[in-house]
Amino acid sequence: MARLTARFWVDAYLARLRMYDIPAFVVAHGDDTGGAVLVKLSTLDGQAVLFQRSFDLMSGDRIWVELSKGAEHDVDEAVSKQRSFDPDLWVVEVEDRAGRHLLDQEGLA
């Protein structure tokens, strides 16, 4: 299966979020072609969850896993740490009080 560029995936993800009136912002623009993507979900109550795309070793499918969860400050520190390892990394911040991120929808893994 052909892989989508990071830029194409981020643009498609932002468009999907807009369809549900979920605010999201690119807070770190990574490499357009091969940059990895982190998604930070802020529930606007001081809490956040950071998601990273990974592979399910049993099925070989791409899945989203929680990389960090808790106080937003702590999650921001996890983002900073990841960015220090990978300057090509994209970071998309989603803001939704209900905790919607849509990463579990078809086509976003």
Side-chain angles (χ1 to χ4, degrees), residues 4-103:
L4 299 176
T5 66
R7 175 65 183 255
F8 186 89
W9 186 90
V10 168
D11 288 344
Y13 182 53
L14 294 173
R16 176 102 44 115
L17 290 165
R18 278 192 301 274
M19 288 178 11
Y20 289 87
D21 293 322
I22 301 172
F25 313 91
V26 174
V27 295
H29 185 285
D31 181 73
D32 282 346
T33 305
V37 179
L38 296 180
V39 175
K40 175 187 163 192
L41 169 64
S42 173
T43 51
L44 305 172
D45 60 357
Q47 299 294 302
V49 183
L50 183 63
F51 295 95
Q52 176 181 17
R53 193 163 36 184
S54 185
F55 286 97
D56 180 334
L57 296 177
M58 297 300 287
S59 68
D61 293 336
R62 289 155 64 116
I63 58 171
W64 288 93
V65 295
E66 285 186 12
L67 185 61
S68 180
K69 182 178 184 177
E72 188 162 8
H73 179 267
D74 295 339
V75 172
D76 288 339
E77 286 182 8
V79 170
S80 294
K81 186 175 182 179
Q82 291 297 314
R83 293 205 62 228
S84 73
F85 299 140
D86 185 359
D88 294 331
L89 189 66
W90 287 77
V91 180
V92 177
E93 183 164 342
V94 178
E95 296 179 344
D96 188 64
R97 290 187 193 282
R100 298 174 299 164
H101 51 71
L102 308 183
L103 294 173

